Amino acid sequence: MTISGGTFDPSICEMEPIATPGAIQPHGALMTARADSGRVAHASVNLGEILGLPAASVLGAPIGEVIGRVNEILLREARRSGSETPETIGSFRRSDGQLLHLHAFQSGDYMCLDIEPVRDEDGRLPPGARQSVIETFSSAMTQVELCELAVHGLQLVLGYDRVMAYRFGADGHGEVIAERRRQDLEPYLGLHYPASDIPQIARALYLRQRVGAIADACYRPVPLLGHPELDDGKPLDLTHSSLRSVSPIHLDYMQNMHTAASLTIGLADGDRLWGMLVCHNTTPRIAGPEWRATAGMIGQVVSLLLSRLGEVENAAETLARQSTLSTLVERLSTGDTLAAAFVAADQLILDLVGASAAVVRLAGQELHFGRTPPVDAMQKVLDSLGRPSPLEVLSLDDVTLRHPELPELLAAGSGILLLPLTSGDGDLIAWFRPEHVQTITWGGNPAEHGTWNPATQRMRPRASFDAWKETVTGRSLPWTSAERNCARELGEAIAAEMAQRTRAELARLRHYDPLTGLANRSYLQERLAQDGQSAAALLFIDLDRFKAVNDSMGHGVGDGLLIEVARSLVATVRPHDLVVRLGGDEFVVLCHRLDAAGIVSLAERLRQVLEQPFEVAGRKCHISASIGIAMADSIGDLDLVRAADIAMYAAKKNGGNRGELFRPSLYEETTQLVELDNDMRGAIESEQFHLVYQPIFAL
Ligand code: BLA
């Protein structure tokens, strides 16, 4: 809409006083009475014509005297029941015999009556027609199918020239998604109309009052007269009047569309206006109470089913995406690292939200999937999105319109779905979609919303509704709410997976020696506790001369030597034996299913291996080992480590580079070296250890 050559300002349309026009359409009359006194406060100037009593003569009179006592009681009852929506309360016979419908509704302090002559067409509906139309609705599988059945049914029972289902898009513009029409009329099916064709005020009104009718776009509005004292002077709200006079802008619009009459039904999905069923007639047509009731009922059923079908369609999409999501989440828990798991699941990441490319940033690593946009341009877009909070999904389908300076984004990054991850600064997943060029056919050029007519001081809607094609570029396919939800759920799953991996890593650290990668003392203790009932043999290995190496060659070589020793131990024992670094230069080998001869020969092999010089950082290190051996048929509460330790001390005391089997006499020999606790003493005295009395090997 241009105003004196200025730009279109939709707010002008929003200022139309559509609920309080101060006038009605001329095919009926309107009268109000104050709820307290019951005296007539308003009357339309055509009251004489419709009711047979001039407006001036009824203003101030008790309403019962005008419409009869019974009708007054019914009118009061309609008010008492509190229902805002209009209802037919009865009829009234004029002095010349003409029957009139009385239709009650509430407005502020007033009880209001629409008065309409009963017309022949009113009873024209074949009995049961309405019911059988409504029954067809339950077969609809999609919202569009339901709308097709609804327009078919409406045309069948009400017989308008054209019946359309009009669906609103997210930006408020609308599209005709179903249509039935007289063959000679041009089709509107598939046409789009700008949001400003139906201003917000009209949408809000159609949510409150679902059915509205215009009998003749060329009518002359009939003003209301108010009683000087009983009319409170506030504009009377006619939202619920079936005779409400409509905005002259819209009447012009209808005339430009070559439509004389309309009957419109608001379709609601919850508390949102989903769309409208719009019936048009090329010639004037009055929609009487029966038709309006039929329209209202059809609208109610369609609205109800629409919500349900919407949920079903959404659930079907979500379900398909959920199965991709759960496969993807399952994959995340495999793989050595999360990044490796992502790489292995590449196609699933794209399929999850129907993207052509994705970038995953994780702990300083960046993974690319599919055909990603050029890195610099992508970074600029990400920067422009600021720093959304973790798991706050952002989606745009018009990146290239927002960034015309980055045309290189068109092919791969017209749409972006951004998921900031919880793990830290800059961790994110960004999905991309390419440009999706679309042709939209508008009912008239949408840029020409209307013009300002200085002569009438009114808006004039656009004159041409000829199909006008627009090629929409710079946009990707929009991201659906199911896709956004899946992205968020993936974010939550990644957070859970990361927590799980951190816990596993911590557990690993708790059990492993970071220098050699061997199990540590706490792991050994857990294993011994677990293996409680089984027979076991344990070697306690202490390196001889390690301190000398450490002191003379430095800690670096010392650490290197420990790593080499660990490697040699692992290479020498059987695969299922456990090699442990207790700390410093002390190691343990825990063996199962090895008899005394077996364990002794293993100890001897280890002694020989450790006796060989080790080369660390180009330096030769000469060490050897003192090895203590302890065995038990059942570990139970025995402190095998302590026993082997005692034996090791004996080996060390005897010159090192040798093995000693634990025997109770060692207890006596080593008392100066180690303190034995009572449990140990008890175990030795009860001879639970294998008792072997002589050193079996020694240098
Ligand atoms: C109302 N505009 C409406 C209504 C429809 C449309 C359906 C509801 C009333 C009715 O059913 O007639 C629009 N009608 C359409 C469309 C199609 C159709 C899109 O058949 C497509 C096939 N209208 C304008 C501009 C303004 C405007 C520029 O084009 C504002 C300056 C206003 N439209 C306008 C207003 C109403 C309206 C104010 C409410 C009328 C009323 O109820 O008083």
Side-chain angles (χ1 to χ4, degrees):
M1 184 186 313
T2 25
I3 299 174
S4 316
T7 47
F8 170 70
D9 178 4
S11 68
I12 296 231
C13 302
E14 303 296 347
M15 289 177 325
E16 281 293 292
I18 62 170
T20 54
I24 57 166
Q25 300 178 44
H27 58 278
L30 184 134
M31 198 163 49
T32 78
R34 289 203 62 97
D36 45 13
S37 63
R39 289 176 179 277
V40 176
H42 302 91
S44 58
V45 295
N46 64 347
L47 195 72
E49 231 171 277
I50 303 287
L51 192 67
L53 296 167
S57 70
V58 301
L59 284 175
I63 185 86
E65 285 180 13
V66 184
I67 55 170
R69 278 269 305 148
V70 171
N71 282 327
E72 183 189 353
I73 293 167
L74 295 174
L75 183 60
R76 285 194 179 280
E77 176 55 22
R79 179 163 183 100
R80 201 193 57 77
S81 68
S83 155
E84 251 201 344
T85 46
E87 50 186 294
T88 301
I89 56 164
S91 55
F92 180 79
R93 198 168 288 281
R94 217 159 58 182
S95 54
D96 64 357
Q98 168 70 47
L99 202 59
L100 300 167
H101 286 295
L102 298 183
H103 206 64
F105 67 97
Q106 314 306 321
S107 180
D109 293 335
Y110 306 102
M111 305 183 286
C112 311
L113 270 184
D114 282 339
I115 307 165
E116 296 169 79
V118 174
R119 297 177 177 86
D120 292 348
E121 314 87 83
D122 288 0
R124 209 177 63 176
L125 290 186
R130 189 162 80 178
Q131 198 50 37
S132 60
V133 161
I134 286 176
E135 270 161 20
T136 64
F137 296 170
S138 57
S139 327
M141 304 283 280
T142 64
Q143 292 182 323
V144 172
E145 251 178 53
L146 175 64
C147 288
E148 282 167 355
L149 289 168
V151 299
H152 170 264
L154 270 172
Q155 204 195 28
L156 196 75
V157 293
L158 301 186
Y160 277 78
D161 291 339
R162 183 198 300 275
V163 183
M164 294 171 282
Y166 191 71
R167 179 179 62 193
F168 297 125
D171 62 355
H173 98 274
E175 180 187 0
V176 177
I177 58 163
E179 182 186 35
R180 284 275 159 156
R181 65 190 156 84
R182 225 173 57 197
Q183 279 310 305
D184 58 316
L185 297 178
E186 59 169 317
Y188 288 172
L189 184 64
L191 292 185
H192 293 247
Y193 296 81
S196 53
D197 280 20
I198 311 179
Q200 287 304 328
I201 41 160
R203 294 171 197 236
L205 190 140
Y206 271 92
L207 262 180
R208 292 185 61 207
Q209 172 57 44
R210 298 287 169 83
V211 178
I214 301 165
D216 180 357
C218 296
Y219 75 88
R220 288 173 63 90
V222 180
L224 303 182
L225 292 181
H227 184 277
E229 281 137 34
L230 299 170
D231 173 8
D232 62 10
K234 289 189 215 139
L236 185 66
D237 188 327
L238 296 181
T239 297
H240 297 299
S241 168
S242 56
L243 300 169
R244 181 178 62 83
S245 186
V246 300
S247 156
I249 305 170
H250 184 56
L251 293 177
D252 287 351
Y253 183 97
M254 287 176 68
Q255 287 168 35
N256 293 352
M257 246 191 185
H258 309 296
T259 296
S262 72
L263 173 67
T264 301
I265 308 162
L267 297 177
D269 179 359
D271 53 7
R272 174 181 79 94
L273 194 67
W274 182 93
M276 289 173 160
L277 293 168
V278 185
C279 310
H280 279 184
N281 217 57
T282 46
T283 51
R285 207 152 194 253
I286 294 168
E290 175 107 3
W291 289 14
R292 295 196 306 268
T294 299
M297 177 160 293
I298 287 181
Q300 243 175 20
V301 177
V302 171
S303 289
L304 245 159
L305 291 176
L306 269 178
S307 309
R308 199 161 330 140
L309 285 174
E311 280 163 23
V312 169
E313 285 172 56
N314 247 338
E317 191 195 338
T318 305
L319 202 70
R321 301 231 175 268
Q322 283 293 339
S323 95
T324 310
L325 179 67
S326 56
T327 318
L328 180 55
V329 168
E330 214 176 281
R331 296 273 175 88
L332 291 185
S333 61
T334 62
D336 284 349
T337 61
L338 204 51
F342 268 118
V343 171
D346 59 347
Q347 192 55 46
L348 287 172
I349 294 166
L350 301 182
D351 291 349
L352 180 71
V353 295
S356 57
V359 167
V360 176
R361 284 189 187 157
L362 212 55
Q365 249 187 318
E366 181 158 313
L367 309 169
H368 287 229
F369 303 91
R371 185 174 160 216
T372 47
V375 176
D376 287 350
M378 180 175 79
Q379 191 52 49
K380 279 187 190 137
V381 173
L382 289 175
D383 290 345
S384 74
L385 295 177
R387 290 189 163 265
S389 331
L391 305 188
E392 188 188 304
V393 174
L394 275 184
S395 65
L396 295 177
D397 60 4
D398 60 353
V399 175
T400 17
L401 298 181
R402 289 164 186 253
H403 295 277
E405 77 283 8
L406 300 172
E408 62 268 41
L409 283 175
L410 270 180
S414 282
I416 183 171
L417 179 68
L418 178 69
L419 168 73
L421 297 175
T422 52
S423 48
D425 245 11
D427 279 7
L428 56 84
I429 302 183
W431 285 274
F432 300 94
R433 278 179 182 169
E435 181 188 33
H436 177 81
V437 178
Q438 223 185 341
T439 305
I440 296 188
T441 312
W442 295 92
N445 182 350
E448 295 166 9
H449 303 270
T451 46
W452 179 251
N453 184 346
T456 59
Q457 287 290 296
R458 273 203 343 235
M459 296 304 305
R460 196 165 38 198
R462 66 183 180 282
S464 166
F465 287 88
D466 293 345
W468 193 92
K469 282 197 191 309
E470 183 196 13
T471 308
V472 179
T473 57
R475 281 181 187 273
S476 70
L477 282 175
W479 305 93
T480 64
S481 64
E483 288 159 353
R484 277 193 297 272
N485 287 343
C486 273
R488 189 170 312 108
E489 283 181 41
L490 176 65
E492 281 161 12
I494 291 173
E497 179 56 29
M498 281 181 158
Q500 170 57 28
R501 281 179 185 262
T502 308
R503 277 196 299 277
E505 182 62 12
L506 283 176
R508 205 180 66 81
L509 289 178
R510 196 163 62 80
H511 278 136
Y512 285 84
D513 170 43
L515 177 66
T516 60
L518 294 178
N520 64 11
R521 181 189 292 271
S522 89
Y523 182 72
L524 174 66
Q525 263 147 11
E526 277 185 26
R527 267 292 292 276
L528 287 171
Q530 273 167 24
D531 297 351
Q533 298 313 308
S534 53
L538 192 138
L539 303 180
F540 194 113
I541 303 167
D542 184 278
L543 303 184
D544 304 323
R545 290 188 300 283
F546 176 74
K547 191 168 176 317
V549 171
N550 224 4
D551 291 348
S552 62
M553 300 189 194
H555 290 294
V557 173
D559 284 353
L561 176 60
L562 291 172
I563 292 168
E564 286 308 314
V565 166
R567 244 183 237 151
S568 303
L569 294 177
V570 171
T572 310
V573 301
R574 302 171 305 166
H576 46 276
D577 293 336
L578 175 71
V579 181
V580 176
R581 180 174 173 227
L582 286 186
D585 59 350
E586 291 177 344
F587 297 86
V588 155
V589 179
L590 176 67
C591 309
H592 293 281
R593 291 184 301 282
L594 208 54
D595 60 12
I599 188 72
V600 165
S601 82
L602 175 61
E604 173 57 9
R605 276 204 308 283
L606 290 174
R607 188 194 64 75
Q608 287 173 9
V609 165
L610 296 176
E611 184 187 39
Q612 303 303 316
F614 284 84
E615 193 169 317
V616 180
R619 314 277 298 270
K620 278 217 159 34
C621 308
H622 293 272
I623 52 163
S624 57
S626 301
I627 304 175
I629 309 165
M631 300 178 75
D633 289 335
S634 160
I635 300 171
D637 294 333
L638 296 177
D639 192 343
L640 264 190
V641 179
R642 201 78 184 273
D645 191 11
I646 291 168
M648 186 278 293
Y649 268 107
K652 182 91 58 192
K653 217 173 93 191
N654 293 333
N657 195 16
R658 73 185 57 224
E660 288 278 353
L661 267 162
F662 174 82
R663 56 188 187 279
S665 61
L666 285 181
Y667 158 63
E668 308 297 338
E669 293 164 26
T670 57
T671 38
Q672 289 96 355
L673 295 168
V674 284
E675 283 278 315
L676 287 180
D677 57 32
N678 285 335
D679 285 351
M680 190 75 183
R681 200 184 307 271
I684 289 168
E685 281 158 10
S686 63
E687 301 190 351
Q688 286 169 23
F689 285 106
H690 282 255
L691 303 180
V692 183
Y693 293 100
Q694 76 275 30
I696 11 168
F697 61 90
L699 255 192

